[in-house]
Amino acid sequence: MIAAWWNAQGARDQRILKVGALVVAAVLAWAFVWHPLGQHRDALRDRLDGARRDLAFVQVSGAEIERLRNAGTQTRADRQGKSLLALADASAREAGLGALLKRVEPVGPRSVRASFEFVAFDPLIEWVERLGREYGIKVSDLSVDRVDATGLVNARITLEDVP
């Protein structure tokens, strides 16, 4: 039926229909293939640019974090040869907590537990923060119990030496 209709058309009409079909095919190819691919490529370029910006930010931030970490943590040489046990005891005495320090005992090869009774909370936390800032010592366990006096606590702190 279509073949009969096609053959019934004149040569000029057949040429016009062929050109029209090619134009329609080109428009459809552009609309459904080429244009979506171009849009997808542009979106991928935008994502790549964003990822490059993120990478640059992470690299700069990583360098800044490393610089701050190195600036904030001193090495074991700064301890003047003191072990973690001796450092905890000596630094607590320097901070005015020596009379309230009831016990310092080793818990493991790189950790000690310090026990305080009736110690003021703020100076205790300042001492812990100083150990971390100046010597790179971390608190792995902290147990604080309030006592009847205002601002005083009983505390057990496990300090860990970070390699």
Side-chain angles (χ1 to χ4, degrees):
M1 178 165 165
I2 293 178
W5 176 83
W6 180 258
N7 291 332
Q9 302 300 317
R12 180 175 163 252
D13 289 341
Q14 285 182 355
R15 270 192 309 256
I16 290 172
L17 288 172
K18 286 178 184 176
V19 169
L22 284 174
V23 169
V24 168
V27 168
L28 288 175
W30 178 85
F32 292 110
V33 177
W34 192 261
H35 184 65
L37 285 175
Q39 287 179 324
H40 188 65
R41 182 196 64 221
D42 293 343
L44 287 175
R45 273 192 196 137
D46 292 343
R47 283 181 57 194
L48 180 62
D49 290 342
R52 285 181 177 153
R53 283 191 303 273
D54 291 346
L55 176 62
F57 174 76
V58 167
Q59 288 173 334
V60 168
S61 297
E64 179 72 8
I65 288 169
E66 192 62 32
R67 184 188 68 76
L68 291 173
R69 184 177 290 147
N70 291 336
T73 303
Q74 298 177 359
T75 62
R76 299 189 113 207
D78 296 326
R79 297 181 184 183
Q80 300 165 348
K82 293 180 183 173
S83 67
L84 179 58
L85 186 89
L87 180 66
D89 184 59
S91 64
R93 293 184 194 291
E94 289 172 13
L97 304 174
L100 306 169
L101 179 62
K102 298 304 175 189
R103 182 174 44 251
V104 179
E105 57 189 356
V107 178
R110 298 183 150 256
S111 59
V112 298
R113 181 176 299 121
S115 299
F116 295 87
E117 290 182 4
F118 299 100
V119 65
F121 182 76
D122 289 343
L124 177 69
I125 296 304
E126 289 170 5
W127 170 72
V128 169
E129 191 272 331
R130 181 176 162 241
L131 284 174
R133 184 184 66 243
E134 293 182 8
Y135 302 105
I137 295 176
K138 292 187 178 181
V139 175
S140 63
D141 186 44
L142 173 66
S143 176
V144 178
D145 299 317
R146 184 175 54 163
V147 295
D148 290 334
T150 303
L152 298 182
V153 296
N154 291 335
R156 286 157 309 287
I157 303 172
T158 303
L159 302 170
E160 200 169 297
D161 199 2
V162 179

